[in-house]
Structure formats: structure tokens, C-alpha cells
Amino acid sequence: MDHDPQFQKSRRGFLGGLGATAAGLSLAQAGAARAQAKPDPAITEIQDWNRYLGDGVAANPYGKPSKFEKGVVRRDVEWLTASRESSVNFTPLHALDGIITPNGLCFERHHGGSPEIDPSKHRLMINGLVDKPLVFTMDDLKRFPGRVNKVFFLECAANGGMEWKGAQLNGCQFTHGMVHNVMYTGLPLKVLLDEAGVKTNGKWVMPEGADSSAMTRSIPIEKAMQDCLVVWGMNGEALRQEQGYPLRIVVPGWEGNMWVKWLRRLEVGDQPWHHREETSKYTDLLADGRSRRFTWIMDAKSVVTSPSPQAPLKHKGPNVLSGLAWSGRGTIRRVDVTIDGGKNWQTARIDGPVLPMSLTRFYVDFNWDGREMLIQSRAMDDTGYVQPTKDELRKVRGLNSIYHNNGIQTWLVRSNGETENVEIS
Ligand SMILES: Nc1nc2c(c(=O)[nH]1)N[C@H]1C(S)=C(S)[C@@H](COP(=O)(O)O)O[C@H]1N2
Ligand SMILES: [Mo]
């Protein structure tokens, strides 16, 4: 785009419109550029922060965001909250950039509240169909050879579940915010299972949580051995209590419910357990009343995070559209974006690390003339899978589903910049 003379021209206009200081000009030049405008006190007056000493270094031993960013927080939806302990809140995707979710902003989903666990009293047991049942302390795990660092998205299967029957919630925080993307530190599950020695009839692994919900799921042994992790670190520090401190399991690309937090036990068995969370819940009910047995993988999905209802357009002229794409089957290869409801598509610019089973950031630099827009994004992964429309999903799945809605999202941008969740067919 930098080579497009049209754009160069508009960029000059853009900087003039912003105020000359943004272009790095001197105050005198800025004054000349603003000869017609009213004096801007942000330029003409010396501000307090420039006159007085700032806060001392010990003022904030664990750093917090600037108070001017206080709106960038996890939020919940009243009618989705049965009780605070069995609840969910949402990542503020509209206010974030890059691919990593800051620890304090990762959405939370608890079935029995978030327990405060003393790590010195926490144990991980491996039992069932193994040669040698084992019990690890946290210290044992942290000195076990083979530690790794890996970035993965975690998406709740219910992300977007409220939108099955049509547009509901006004903000990508609420329609898509049951996802976070973190760099984990821990051990491949394989090294722990190998240490215990899985018997030849050991075909499934059941992680169990130490919380009051004692969450359990059945994971096939192939997946457990392939890329699952047992982790104590997120983004360079200890797991947050909400994310399973001191230990959780990571099941890359698969639905968040399987990522048992406050992990205390791994049982090896010869068949799936069919517990509550994999039968009555987290199961896809089809139109004819039958259910899919397991739907583990989170298919390719994307969303434009800005503009979006909580991040409306404020300026005509050059603007940056931004969004996220991810696939539980592999790596994002391409994201296409339309601003006219699907008549024309252009390929977005992907920026930052492109990792398998990780959020991937995309941008479209565009000029807005104040026209109404219908914005959509469509992700493609390296298996060739293309993100479907919501109508395509409904054709296959009917209207009984809650989980696994990876349909294309539409935002309507009005001529005043306000943005709304809509559906077009
Ligand atoms: N022990 C335990 N693990 C759990 C849960 C829980 O309630 N208890 N919730 C699951 C669900 S449904 C999801 S979507 C993810 C949410 O992980 P997060 O809170 O880190 O976002 O954790 C999963 N692991
Ligand atoms: Mo979930």
C-alpha cells in the first residue's frame, strides 16, 4: 500500500488533519499548520506531568495498566450468569492487539468457582493402566527434564453459542471473547506418561481438576502423546488462579472444556468415561434429535475486532481494520475481508508470528469515505478448510446447537461510525 500514490496523497492529508505534532514537526511549524484553528491547549500549555516529579519506582510493585485504560477489562453478560461460581466472562478482544492475551484479561470459565490452592499442598497423580503409578509435587514437575514453551489459543466450545439463532450481543468481546492466546511453560504430557509407562491397553487419559466441580474429560491417548502439555506457567509467570494455578492441562486446538484447570490427577483407561461434560454438556445436538458423540477440534474462525460495536470508527480517511483468525486444525494461511457484505473480498495482511493452533493477527489498511459498510472476515487454514457462513452451518447442524459456532461474523458500520452486530444472508 505504501507504493500506492493515491494512498501517499491521502496520508499527507491524514497527518495534516491529525495536527502537525503527530508528524513530528516543530511547534513553530505546527503553529503555522494550525494558523486557522483555535490554539490547542495540549500544545500551548505545559502539562502537570511535565512540571512535577512522577511516581517513585516502588509505587506499584506489581505493575498495572494506566488508569486511562480502566475500561479494558473482562466483562460478563448478566443473563448468562446463573451464579458467580458457575460463570463466564469475556476477553476484551476489541481493545487488544498482536496475538498474546495479557494474563489479567484472559476470559474465565468456572463450573465450581476458582479455588485458591497452596502449591506446596498440591499433587499430580498418574494412575490407572500404567506400569508405575506416580505422584508429583510441583517441585518435582519443575525439575523434570524436557520443559517447553508453546503458544496456543484456548476457545470455549460455547464461544458464539448465543448467536446460533441470530445476532444477539453487541460487541466482539461478547460474541467472540471466550478465547485467549497464551505462551505456556510446562512439560509435554508424553514425558510424564512415559515415566509412568502406559500399558498396551491404555487408550484414553482422563484429567481431573482439584476444584469443587472436579472437572473430568476423556482424551484419546494419541492426542495426549502428540502435543498435550501439563503447564504451570503462562506468558512468563505462574498461571493465574483463574487459569488453574498451580497446574493445568493444555489440549492444543481442542475445545476449552478439555483443558482441565487445577489439575490433580491423570487416569489412564481403555475407553472414554462419558462423564457429564462430554455427554449432557459440550455435545452438539443436531436438527433430527441425534447428537454428535465428540466434537473436539475447534474449526477455523475469525473476527474483525476493530471496527466493531465497542470500537466504532471515529475518523474518515485512512483507517486500520484489524482482526484475529485461528484454527484448531493447524496454521492460518489466509484471511479475506469484505467491506461490502461479500460482493468484493480482499486478502488481509497478516502480521506477527503465524503459529499452529494460535491466534493470528490480520490488518487491512483502508480509506473510509463515510459510507455504510458490511464488514466480514473469512479464515482459511493449511488444511484448505474455509470458514463457513452461519447459514451454511445451520444447513448441516440445524438450530438446536449451542457449541462450535465458527460462522462468519458481520458488522454493520453506519455512516456516523457506529457499529452493530447484524446478520445478512
Ligand atoms: N477444573 C476445571 N477445569 C476447567 C473448567 C472448570 O470449571 N474446572 N472449565 C473448563 C472450561 S468449560 C473452559 S472453556 C476452560 C476455560 O479456561 P480459562 O478459565 O482459562 O479461560 O477451562 C476448562 N477447565
Ligand atoms: Mo467451556
Side-chain angles (χ1 to χ4, degrees):
M1 251 206 163
D2 268 356
H3 307 292
D4 178 350
Q6 255 329 97
F7 185 73
Q8 290 295 344
K9 209 169 117 218
S10 63
R11 175 181 285 185
R12 273 196 292 277
F14 170 59
L15 293 174
L18 250 191
T21 43
L25 304 181
S26 71
L27 282 181
Q29 286 169 300
R34 288 173 164 269
Q36 312 290 71
K38 255 198 346 210
D40 178 354
I43 293 172
T44 57
E45 284 168 24
I46 296 173
Q47 306 293 331
D48 279 355
W49 52 79
N50 200 193
R51 298 159 81 144
Y52 305 113
L53 285 172
D55 294 337
V57 289
N60 210 352
Y62 192 99
K64 292 193 195 94
S66 159
K67 72 175 185 192
F68 299 103
E69 301 295 320
K70 67 176 188 290
V72 183
V73 289
R74 301 185 282 219
R75 292 181 192 278
D76 49 40
V77 173
E78 204 56 58
W79 56 268
L80 282 173
T81 301
S83 76
R84 305 301 306 177
E85 293 76 27
S86 177
S87 193
V88 63
N89 59 21
F90 300 86
T91 307
L93 298 177
H94 63 287
L96 301 179
D97 216 324
I99 65 163
I100 295 294
T101 314
N103 287 344
L105 296 176
C106 289
F107 87 96
E108 307 166 63
R109 173 78 180 97
H110 319 309
H111 291 68
S114 151
E116 191 180 73
I117 295 178
D118 176 347
S120 71
K121 294 185 185 148
H122 190 73
R123 301 288 181 270
L124 173 66
M125 176 162 103
I126 304 185
N127 71 329
L129 299 176
V130 291
D131 298 331
K132 190 171 40 150
L134 295 171
V135 175
F136 296 91
T137 64
M138 288 305 299
D139 282 349
D140 293 338
L141 292 171
K142 288 181 180 174
R143 63 197 179 88
F144 206 93
R147 191 187 304 176
V148 293
N149 294 287
K150 302 247 183 209
V151 178
F152 293 117
F153 77 80
L154 178 164
E155 185 183 16
C156 177
N159 200 20
M162 295 73 73
E163 307 281 311
W164 260 109
K165 296 182 175 76
Q168 284 280 330
L169 296 169
N170 229 12
C172 68
Q173 177 165 21
F174 307 110
T175 54
H176 291 74
M178 277 194 250
V179 68
H180 54 62
N181 203 58
V182 161
M183 179 181 281
Y184 294 99
T185 302
L187 289 165
L189 176 54
K190 181 181 191 303
V191 307
L192 297 177
L193 291 175
D194 283 348
E195 181 75 4
V198 174
K199 290 190 188 296
T200 48
N201 58 340
K203 295 294 177 215
W204 293 80
V205 177
M206 182 189 74
E208 180 192 70
D211 56 329
S212 71
S213 82
M215 175 82 57
T216 47
R217 284 291 303 251
S218 306
I219 302 174
I221 195 78
E222 296 76 20
K223 178 68 175 175
M225 291 295 195
Q226 188 188 323
D227 59 4
C228 289
L229 306 175
V230 170
V231 303
W232 55 84
M234 66 191 288
N235 292 333
E237 62 180 359
L239 288 175
R240 289 290 167 89
Q241 177 178 323
E242 306 91 293
Q243 266 66 48
Y245 182 87
L247 202 63
R248 103 176 291 171
I249 189 168
V250 165
V251 190
W254 289 24
E255 59 184 11
N257 184 256
M258 306 177 86
W259 298 45
V260 169
K261 304 190 274 191
W262 312 292
L263 178 70
R264 72 159 174 200
R265 194 165 69 90
L266 293 161
E267 184 176 327
V268 179
D270 58 358
Q271 32 189 338
W273 283 262
H274 289 124
H275 283 179
R276 174 183 181 272
E277 300 292 312
E278 51 201 8
T279 50
S280 134
K281 304 292 173 194
Y282 294 98
T283 296
D284 293 325
L285 181 58
L286 301 175
D288 63 5
R290 289 181 308 151
S291 293
R292 286 184 173 162
R293 188 180 187 195
F294 298 119
T295 312
W296 293 314
I297 301 179
M298 302 306 294
D299 278 322
K301 189 166 174 178
S302 67
V303 64
V304 171
T305 53
S306 174
S308 65
Q310 296 156 289
L313 276 188
K314 290 185 188 148
H315 305 279
K316 288 187 188 156
N319 274 285
V320 179
L321 176 153
S322 180
L324 291 165
W326 61 98
S327 168
R329 294 186 192 274
T331 307
I332 290 297
R333 270 286 170 266
R334 194 170 121 192
V335 181
D336 287 344
V337 169
T338 176
I339 59 171
D340 57 13
K343 289 189 199 85
N344 298 284
W345 293 85
Q346 61 176 309
T347 299
R349 176 170 65 86
I350 288 177
D351 187 74
V354 180
L355 301 167
M357 295 170 284
S358 162
L359 296 191
T360 302
R361 174 63 61 179
F362 65 84
Y363 296 103
V364 175
D365 306 304
F366 74 108
N367 254 297
W368 187 47
D369 57 7
R371 216 177 313 172
E372 242 185 42
M373 294 187 288
L374 286 165
I375 296 182
Q376 300 179 323
S377 62
R378 182 175 63 194
M380 271 159 266
D381 68 20
D382 59 354
T383 69
Y385 178 94
V386 180
Q387 184 183 359
T389 65
K390 291 187 185 176
D391 283 341
E392 282 165 346
L393 273 183
R394 289 180 188 124
K395 249 180 240 155
V396 181
R397 304 260 303 274
L399 282 178
N400 290 333
S401 281
I402 299 168
Y403 305 107
H404 299 279
N405 175 4
N406 66 321
I408 289 173
Q409 174 66 42
T410 312
W411 302 127
L412 165 66
V413 181
R414 296 191 185 283
S415 48
N416 63 4
E418 275 169 27
T419 302
E420 227 179 279
N421 180 8
V422 298
E423 253 192 61
I424 48 174
S425 35

